[in-house]
Every structure is written in C-alpha cells, then in structure tokens.
Amino acid sequence: MSDPVPTPEQAAILAAGSGPVRIDAGAGTGKTWTLVAKIAALVEAGTAPERILGITFTNKAAGELAGRVRAAVSSLVDTGIEVDIHTYHGFAARVLREFGPFIGVERDARVITPTFARQLLIESVSETPGLDDLNLTYLPAVLDPLTALAQSMSDNLVDPTVFLSGTPADDVERRRAQLASVVAEYRLEKGRLGVLDYGDLIARAHELVTTRPEVRDRVAERYDVVLLDEYQDTDPAQRHLLQQLFGDGRTVIAVGDPDQTIYEWRGASIENFEAFPTHFPTIDGDPAPTLPLSLNRRSGQLVLDVANAVRAEVGAGTRTPLAAPPGTSSGTVSVAYH
C-alpha cells in the first residue's frame, strides 16, 4: 500500500491478534485507512478474503470501502476473490434472501418504500376496530406517531401484541394499546402481501437466526473476521442480530466514535458502542479490549484543544484526547457556557 506509515496506535490495531476488539476512533484519525490496512494485513497473513465480513452504514460507504479494499488486496489474491462487504441492512437482506423461507419470508419478498408503508398503515387504521381514543379526523396526525412506533418496535425487537394484553390503567395506556393494535394489523397486512419494510430486514433476520440455530451456525461459520464500521450508529436490533451470529468470542472489530452518533433520532443506541466489550466478550468471557485512534490529521492543535475541552465538559473526558501530529502548535483554550 502506498499510504503513510502507520501511527503507533494504527500499528497496534494492525498487530492485534484474534478475538473481539473495540476501536475508539476520533474524528479525522484515519479510521477508514486503518480498516483497509487491517483487512490487507489479514489477507497477507493468510486469511481468505471471502472469510472476512465488512459491514458499514450506507451504500455509499460500503461502495467506497469495497473499492479501497479491492485495490489494497489486488496483488495478494486471484481476480474475482473479494472481501464480503455490505451495509447493516444489506447483510440482513442477504441472509433473508438465502434462508427466509424457513420463517415464511420468500426469497423474492419486496422491500416497500416509506410511501407504500404509510399507505398500508392507512389501510390498517381502517381495518382495526375500537380506535375510540385516536383522533382520525386528521389522519396525518395519527400516521406520524404510527410510523415512528412501527419503526421503533422493529429497531428494538418489540412485538406490538405485548401492549394488547390486560386492561389499560389510564387514557395514555389505552391510546398506546390502540396504536399498537394498528401496528399489529400493519404487520399482518405486510405478511398477507408478502412484503417487508426497511425495519423488517433486521427484525426478521434476527428472528431467523434465533429460531433456526442451524441457519445461525451456517452463516456464522462463513467468516473468520467481522469488521463493524460506524458502530456507534447501530440500533438494538442490529446489535442483537450481530451478537447472535458473532458474539461467541470470534474476531469482531467494531469501529466507532460516540461523539459522532447522528442517528439517535432513527433508533441508534449509544449503549451499543459503550457496552461492546461486554456484549462481545473474549472466548474466555472477559470484556473485549479497546484500542484508541486519537491522532487527528485533519485539524490543528488549537481546534483540537477546544474540541477536547468541550468533550470533557459534556462528560466525554475519559476518552483518549484528540491530538494533532507532533510539531503542531497549540494555544490557550477556555470554553465558556451561557
């Protein structure tokens, strides 16, 4: 590779042996270069590329990572042999395409658009009796919370029927139960049509690997190494799916920056990154180690001093402070809050 000489922190990651590890990667610290270099080092050491799974957050990021990995290992492997790289949802969709019929998900099941999902929710409202506490005179006012609730239940692997047993204690519980009954009808309608929404991909893949151990084992045994990019933006369902498959002490490398969690509004849980060492323990049951990436090549030291001061003020001071390359001048920093 023609990239710069690794920093001591990057060298430690490249030299890390088997087993799970969390990489606490600050902004501008060469996270993607480190991932690519780690994959190249694994391949050079004898790991077959097809036995390495890389998962990242967006299609664009997956394409860029795949391209960089392809260039890095091209001289080490035969043409056409590649590392398996997907988005989190793309990986789940692949598992469902291959094994979904075990749980009633056909291989050609269509993933519906948000617009179609809202239309199905409208139809589910009309098919659900007893919605006395919901104001249906202005449907968008009901659809927005219904859409959010359906997504949240998928992100957290919650069955809406859990809210339908027993007698509601007050108006809030009664309204919640009625919303949940619409979501339950929505799920039945998707099943009748043989379609999935975006949140179903992870939830149904999790159902598959938890109810069919032979499928779980078959998928898990394909990979010797799993790299999880942007792990700070994963939601509980994604984490549980990955735990079921790879949480047995194998080499899982989770890279993330809790300061850059941007999808909490969409269900991301910062707990996933914070608790990775216990969610993915070593083969002996010990917490997975954490390795830092803190040398920022993107900003001067003064900017980083301000950033570190803000992080410390908001409670992130236990992380390794970001630093500029040696020789970068610093200045006096004070941070005031009003």
Side-chain angles (χ1 to χ4, degrees), residues 125-190:
V125 169
S126 65
E127 294 293 329
T128 305
L131 303 181
D132 303 330
D133 290 276
L134 301 183
N135 181 5
L136 303 180
T137 57
Y138 182 59
L139 209 50
V142 177
L143 280 179
D144 288 342
L146 276 173
T147 300
L149 182 62
Q151 183 64 52
S152 180
M153 286 184 170
S154 293
D155 291 343
N156 292 277
L157 302 175
V158 175
D159 187 331
T161 59
V162 302
F163 297 103
L164 305 182
S165 59
T167 303
D170 52 36
D171 290 344
V172 173
E173 287 192 6
R174 186 159 45 250
R175 187 172 188 274
R176 183 176 61 188
Q178 290 178 12
L179 288 170
S181 67
V182 176
V183 175
E185 177 61 31
Y186 170 63
R187 291 191 175 187
L188 290 173
E189 185 63 22
K190 287 185 292 182

Side-chain angles (χ1 to χ4, degrees), residues 1-15 29-30 33-38 40-41 44 292-293 295 297 326:
M1 298 175 67
S2 58
D3 296 280
V5 174
T7 67
E9 290 177 338
Q10 289 171 327
I13 293 168
L14 299 183
T29 56
W33 182 91
T34 306
L35 277 177
V36 174
K38 179 65 175 179
E44 193 167 15
L293 278 178
L295 185 63
R297 300 178 183 274

Side-chain angles (χ1 to χ4, degrees), residues 71-142:
V73 304
S74 60
S75 63
L76 304 174
V77 300
D78 294 334
T79 302
I81 299 177
E82 296 190 347
V83 173
D84 207 8
I85 295 177
H86 303 274
T87 65
Y88 288 94
H89 285 88
F91 173 69
R94 175 181 167 177
V95 172
L96 286 173
R97 277 196 303 272
E98 190 171 357
F99 301 106
F102 281 114
I103 56 168
V105 177
E106 295 303 319
R107 290 188 172 90
D108 59 353
R110 184 161 57 96
V111 180
I112 59 177
T113 65
T115 300
F116 190 12
R118 287 175 69 86
Q119 183 59 44
L120 284 185
L121 278 169
I122 292 174
E123 294 176 10
S124 299
V125 169
S126 65
E127 294 293 329
T128 305
L131 303 181
D132 303 330
D133 290 276
L134 301 183
N135 181 5
L136 303 180
T137 57
Y138 182 59
L139 209 50
V142 177

Side-chain angles (χ1 to χ4, degrees), residues 86 88-111 195-212 215 219 222 241 245:
H86 303 274
Y88 288 94
H89 285 88
F91 173 69
R94 175 181 167 177
V95 172
L96 286 173
R97 277 196 303 272
E98 190 171 357
F99 301 106
F102 281 114
I103 56 168
V105 177
E106 295 303 319
R107 290 188 172 90
D108 59 353
R110 184 161 57 96
V111 180
V195 300
L196 305 169
D197 65 21
Y198 199 57
D200 290 328
L201 293 173
I202 302 293
R204 298 305 303 273
H206 177 268
E207 176 190 345
L208 174 62
V209 301
T210 52
T211 59
R212 304 296 300 224
V215 171
V219 174
R222 291 174 176 172
L241 171 62
L245 290 169

